[in-house]
Amino acid sequence: MGVDLRQVVAGILTITMFVMLGNMIKREHFDSVHEKLPGVTEDAHYSEQGIVSVSKTSGPRKEDSGGELKPCWEKPESEALGDPKGSITFSLINGPEYHVSQISAAVVVAKYLGATLVIPDIRGTTPGDKRSFEDIYDVDKFMQSLDGVVNVMKEQPSEISAQDVAVVKVPSKITEDYIADHVEPVFRTKSNIRLATYFPSVNMRKKKTQKSELDAVMCLAMFGTLELQPEVREVVDSMVERLRTLSRKSDGRFLAVDLRVGMLERKNCQGSKKCFNAQEIAEFLQKIGYKKDTTIYLTQSRWDSSLDALKEVFPKTYTKESIMPVDKKAKFLNAEDSEFEKVIDYYICSESDVFVPAISGLFYSNVAGKRIASGRTQILVPAIIESPSASPTDHLSSYVVKKNHLAHSCFC
């Protein structure tokens, strides 16, 4: 079947291929080139290494077992690390889709310099919005995962003042050359540095034919260090279980749709083909064959009247407000900041049977990476098709995943 493919997603990553996928996966629509997509039929579902499935069906379906990527790295062998030469501090910012790259960069820098890594705090988007690492992540498992790889301490010694620490900007995809040229000279002078991670639009990592020890450290940091602390994990699990209970008619399977009203109202979404409102998502799901009893989870925290168009077509559409346990709402839903809400959305979208991004961006890219790595390859991206004669498959943007250096380093 010929289709218009206007946006091809380049990039891949994995269990937490989180931020790295920001520059590795992108959608691209072909305006004039017609191609036969491998495996696309009237009930399309293909899942092969290198291809993310596009599924047209009446409801979420079980994943095939052949789509899971296998790690081709091992945890670096534990070694006697010796006396640390200084310390590395940093903060996790902007939400869970950013955290994995910030962790990876800091661990790689600490390993390269022989420095002690200080457990980061977590900061929100507003001044004073600050919480401890252990409020969201399991600090003991984090430290255990890095045992013998880098020295880790929970807090920086009190005798080290702010004047003793130099701030150094580092890219999310940091390289050994960058550390040697821009970080090590400062570290040798000050001994204590604070990393400020930025996310360049261009991939600064050069493709290498040989793997180094730091490649394994990078993979470990990205995919083997962050786990939710028990209370947050319990909330996510209870919400997923609630959604599966509501999806009995489809064998407990449900869709997660990243649709946030506040994001749709921003300037970069106005008139953009990268953002889809509730009405457009409802029409999209109908056109590719989903029935009205499909269960849908929205990343919107509380119901908004603009979502009514979706609920009219799919009555079993829910937000966090309607499925979160009542005794957990005060802490995880009604708090002044939204950090917990971001984390809950990130993990539910990663663990749903089907993921539909209504908004393009890092959240979408890195949820896709985490899903791909765990074999959850049903990711449906709407396509703008104006032709009234378009077939159901034409309304799906197709994914073609191309391996790059980072994916090749961590997954086979």
Side-chain angles (χ1 to χ4, degrees), residues 55-105:
S55 175
K56 185 184 75 62
T57 177
S58 60
R61 57 183 294 169
K62 292 183 179 179
E63 295 288 352
D64 296 337
S65 59
E68 185 173 358
L69 298 173
K70 305 297 183 183
C72 49
W73 57 275
E74 296 181 356
K75 178 179 177 179
E77 293 185 4
S78 297
E79 59 182 3
L81 298 174
D83 295 330
K85 303 170 185 177
S87 65
I88 305 293
T89 59
F90 66 111
S91 294
L92 299 179
I93 61 173
N94 294 333
E97 63 268 34
Y98 290 83
H99 293 173
V100 67
S101 289
Q102 294 158 353
I103 289 286
S104 176

Side-chain angles (χ1 to χ4, degrees), residues 210-223:
Q210 293 183 337
K211 297 179 183 179
S212 70
E213 180 187 13
L214 284 185
D215 288 328
V217 172
M218 175 197 66
C219 293
L220 169 66
M222 286 193 296
F223 311 128

Side-chain angles (χ1 to χ4, degrees), residues 301-329:
S301 293
R302 296 167 183 80
W303 196 259
D304 185 90
S305 59
S306 64
L307 303 175
D308 290 346
L310 178 59
K311 197 173 184 68
E312 287 174 4
V313 180
F314 298 99
K316 296 167 69 173
T317 298
Y318 306 96
T319 63
K320 283 182 285 297
E321 185 178 38
S322 57
I323 64 170
M324 183 179 289
V326 175
D327 61 334
K328 300 296 184 181
K329 288 184 179 181

Side-chain angles (χ1 to χ4, degrees), residues 20-41:
M20 304 310 195
L21 265 167
N23 292 319
M24 292 180 212
I25 295 183
K26 82 179 174 181
R27 242 180 354 153
E28 188 176 57
H29 296 286
F30 289 76
D31 292 323
S32 59
V33 179
H34 296 273
E35 294 185 356
K36 178 79 174 179
L37 295 178
V40 176
T41 66

Side-chain angles (χ1 to χ4, degrees), residues 99-198:
H99 293 173
V100 67
S101 289
Q102 294 158 353
I103 289 286
S104 176
V107 171
V108 169
V109 170
K111 180 65 175 178
Y112 184 94
L113 299 175
T116 294
L117 184 71
V118 180
I119 297 287
D121 56 14
I122 299 174
R123 302 190 180 189
T125 55
T126 58
D129 184 1
K130 179 180 175 182
R131 62 177 65 253
S132 298
F133 181 87
E134 54 263 36
D135 286 344
I136 291 177
Y137 298 111
D138 190 320
V139 66
D140 292 329
K141 289 187 177 180
F142 178 80
M143 297 183 71
Q144 290 168 10
S145 69
L146 294 174
D147 183 39
V149 179
V150 295
N151 287 307
V152 182
M153 66 171 64
K154 291 189 175 181
E155 295 180 352
Q156 193 170 51
S158 57
E159 60 266 22
I160 300 177
S161 66
Q163 288 73 28
D164 299 323
V165 180
V167 178
V168 181
K169 291 183 65 177
V170 297
S172 56
K173 303 175 183 64
I174 198 163
T175 63
E176 295 177 44
D177 289 343
Y178 189 95
I179 298 173
D181 294 341
H182 301 282
V183 183
E184 188 172 19
V186 180
F187 181 76
R188 298 306 173 202
T189 301
K190 298 288 290 187
S191 297
N192 300 290
I193 60 175
R194 180 173 181 82
L195 302 182
T197 308
Y198 67 96

Side-chain angles (χ1 to χ4, degrees), residues 108 251 340:
V108 169
D251 294 332
F340 283 126

Side-chain angles (χ1 to χ4, degrees), residues 377-392:
T377 57
Q378 291 191 53
I379 305 169
L380 308 180
V381 181
I384 300 295
I385 302 295
E386 298 179 355
S387 172
S389 60
S391 69

